Amino acid sequence: MSEAADSAFHNLPHPRALAFLGDAVFELFLRELAVAQGLSQSRDLHDFTTRHAKASAQVALFHQLKPHLTEAELELVRQGRNVGVGTGRRSDQAAHRQATGLEALLGALALQQPSRLSELWALARPWLFNPPGAEG
């Protein structure tokens, strides 16, 4: 781990493991948002979470959060982005890597800085409810 990331985070698992955890953290956050939005039909709940969990949506969210991230957090995103992960033939490799970087950051924050994770969720929440270009 680089010096920048090490100054804020200590003894973290491999970025791949962080992304694995961050994926679950992000999914739980989206499910909580869907319920808070008042969705109750299975199809609506599923549509909300899958619309926001896809790589392109995570990249858009990352760009919303990026100005608020510290250097150490950006370093974790970079490390997660550089982890070799498999993608489907139809997936955009660059978007998938960037999404993996965001997930690695979320995993690290869940483990070591849950209050900072809450701050980022507070920044993300309004944007996720009404992202630019949203239909409806």
Side-chain angles (χ1 to χ4, degrees), residues 2 12 21 37 48 95 108 116 120 128 133:
S2 78
L12 286 172
L21 176 60
Q37 193 173 1
F48 179 86
R116 176 63 174 149
L120 293 181
L128 285 168

Side-chain angles (χ1 to χ4, degrees), residues 41-63:
Q41 299 295 315
S42 295
R43 177 84 175 167
D44 295 337
L45 292 163
H46 175 76
D47 288 349
F48 179 86
T49 56
T50 56
R51 181 172 60 249
H52 291 89
K54 62 186 175 182
S56 60
Q58 288 186 20
V59 171
L61 175 61
F62 169 70
H63 288 295

Side-chain angles (χ1 to χ4, degrees), residues 9 12 18 21-22 76 103-114:
F9 298 96
L12 286 172
L18 292 174
L21 176 60
L76 278 170
E103 290 170 348
L105 172 62
L106 298 177
L109 292 173
L111 288 174
Q112 294 193 354
Q113 297 180 15

Side-chain angles (χ1 to χ4, degrees), residues 29 61 65-66 68-70 73 102 105-106 109 113-126 128:
F29 175 67
L61 175 61
L65 295 175
K66 188 176 180 179
H68 306 281
L69 299 179
T70 67
E73 291 166 345
L102 175 63
L105 172 62
L106 298 177
L109 292 173
Q113 297 180 15
S115 62
R116 176 63 174 149
L117 181 61
S118 294
E119 291 173 16
L120 293 181
W121 287 152
L123 293 169
R125 188 173 284 110
L128 285 168

Side-chain angles (χ1 to χ4, degrees), residues 54-106:
K54 62 186 175 182
S56 60
Q58 288 186 20
V59 171
L61 175 61
F62 169 70
H63 288 295
Q64 283 297 120
L65 295 175
K66 188 176 180 179
H68 306 281
L69 299 179
T70 67
E71 286 302 315
E73 291 166 345
L74 290 169
E75 175 63 16
L76 278 170
V77 171
R78 186 193 65 73
Q79 290 176 13
R81 184 186 67 221
N82 290 335
V83 169
V85 291
T87 61
R89 286 184 300 180
R90 297 180 187 188
S91 295
D92 176 0
Q93 178 98 13
H96 191 75
R97 285 181 172 270
Q98 192 69 41
T100 300
L102 175 63
E103 290 170 348
L105 172 62
L106 298 177

